[in-house]
Amino acid sequence: MKFFVDTADVKEIRELNDLGLLDGVTTNPSLILKSGGKIDEVTRQICEIVKGPVSAEVTATEYSEMMQQAKVLAKIADNVCIKVPLTLDGLKACKAIRSEGRLVNVTLCFSANQALLAAKAGATFISPFVGRIDDIGIDGMELIEEIKTIYDNYAFETEILVASVRTVNHVKQAALIGADVVTAPPATLKALVKHPLTDKGLDQFLADWAKTGQSIG
Ligand code: G3P
């Protein structure tokens, strides 16, 4: 399973990339706002750090304007993945951008039928938002199971990119279902390493090692 980080914070991205944990990055207009930077500059900086796909989202809602914005974003770097919303115009833009050989991430997916449409439009990635579905009292991971079944039934090549990930449990469930990618905030990715017994065991080993009076090397 690939790990993308869901942030436009260049410092956090550099840190995770240095750990060897990153396969890509996803951004959106809210994350660009949070970064305090300009979309073209921030995206360029991220693309210089991470070699994998870096999603940058169009903000137009009409097809031809989306295509213009996609052209601008695509010029930033070869690994920019154009993010479009799951609307009829977005699906039309997805098909057109894919035919030009670019990566496309179709975002704001909340139903299996929407995911089916994105696959038919040739999306590279479909982004179902599990956390926001949980927020309205429905199990977001059930949607991932449905999409996985549908994509397997028809051997669609669109990758399932689990988004709006809020917990380490979302990551585990996504992996058990066989999702292709998770995108999670930096803190959630870092929290995957945590286990109290690991900390306790390490403390014990270090204490016993000190008692031996030895050193290695
Ligand atoms: O990038 C889209 C998605 O991951 C947003 O997550 O936490 O704002 O629902 P969230």
Side-chain angles (χ1 to χ4, degrees), residues 86-214:
L86 218 158
T87 60
L88 290 177
D89 285 66
L91 292 170
K92 188 176 171 188
C94 172
K95 189 141 198 147
I97 299 164
R98 289 293 290 137
S99 74
E100 291 166 2
R102 300 291 311 199
L103 304 177
V104 177
N105 177 356
V106 177
T107 190
L108 290 165
C109 171
F110 294 94
S111 79
N113 281 333
Q114 288 180 322
L116 179 57
L117 288 173
K120 287 186 70 68
T124 316
F125 302 106
I126 180 68
S127 288
F129 279 27
V130 293
R132 294 193 194 185
I133 296 175
D134 288 351
D135 287 346
I136 60 162
I138 299 169
D139 182 3
M141 297 312 299
E142 279 179 15
L143 174 59
I144 305 305
E145 280 171 2
E146 289 175 357
I147 298 172
K148 174 79 178 141
T149 301
I150 290 169
Y151 282 13
D152 286 352
N153 283 348
Y154 297 97
F156 282 124
E157 288 178 8
T158 300
E159 294 188 30
I160 304 172
L161 193 171
V162 181
S164 188
V165 163
R166 306 269 172 81
T167 65
V168 291
N169 199 41
H170 278 148
V171 178
K172 181 176 84 174
Q173 287 179 286
L176 286 169
I177 293 167
D180 303 281
V181 193
V182 285
T183 189
T188 309
L189 288 180
K190 286 188 215 159
L192 293 173
V193 79
K194 288 278 175 208
H195 197 288
L197 292 180
T198 303
D199 296 340
K200 193 178 167 200
L202 184 59
D203 286 348
Q204 181 72 57
F205 286 156
L206 293 179
D208 288 345
W209 180 245
K211 286 180 205 159
T212 69
Q214 299 178 40

